[in-house]
């Protein structure tokens, strides 16, 4: 799934809604809605977390793999 790239926030900085916009779409929205505050979201680092989870799973299997069968 494509991650969210932009969010509309309120005056307190709370996220109202997240969007999967390109740079052009975000620019168009901000030009047509000058009162709205749009922020760019950081890209998630799922790849690194997935790699670490895989390594932990492999380490765990090496430790107790024989006990499972």
């Amino acid at each position: 799934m494509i991650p969210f790239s932009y969010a509309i926030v309120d005056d307190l900085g709370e996220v109202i809604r997240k969007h999967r916009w390109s740079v052009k779409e975000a620019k168009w929205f901000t030009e047509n809605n000058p009162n709205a505050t749009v922020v760019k979201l950081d890209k998630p680092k799922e790849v690194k977390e997935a790699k670490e989870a895989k390594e932990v799973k492999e380490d765990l299997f090496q430790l107790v793999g024989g006990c499972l069968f």
Side-chain angles (χ1 to χ4, degrees):
M1 179 175 260
I2 301 171
F4 293 107
S5 54
Y6 290 89
I8 300 172
V9 295
D10 62 7
D11 296 335
L12 301 174
E14 297 291 323
V15 174
I16 297 173
R17 184 168 182 153
K18 294 180 181 180
H19 295 278
R20 293 178 179 97
W21 285 337
S22 66
V23 174
K24 289 181 182 181
E25 290 170 324
K27 182 179 178 183
W28 177 88
F29 183 84
T30 53
E31 288 174 353
N32 291 308
N33 300 290
N35 296 331
T37 304
V38 177
V39 295
K40 184 165 178 60
L41 300 173
D42 294 332
K43 292 184 179 180
K45 297 181 181 180
E46 296 175 12
V47 175
K48 183 178 179 182
E49 292 172 2
K51 184 178 178 183
E52 289 175 359
K54 183 179 179 182
E55 290 173 359
V56 168
K57 184 178 176 182
E58 289 174 355
D59 291 343
L60 182 62
F61 185 74
Q62 288 177 356
L63 292 172
V64 296
C67 300
L68 297 176
F69 297 106

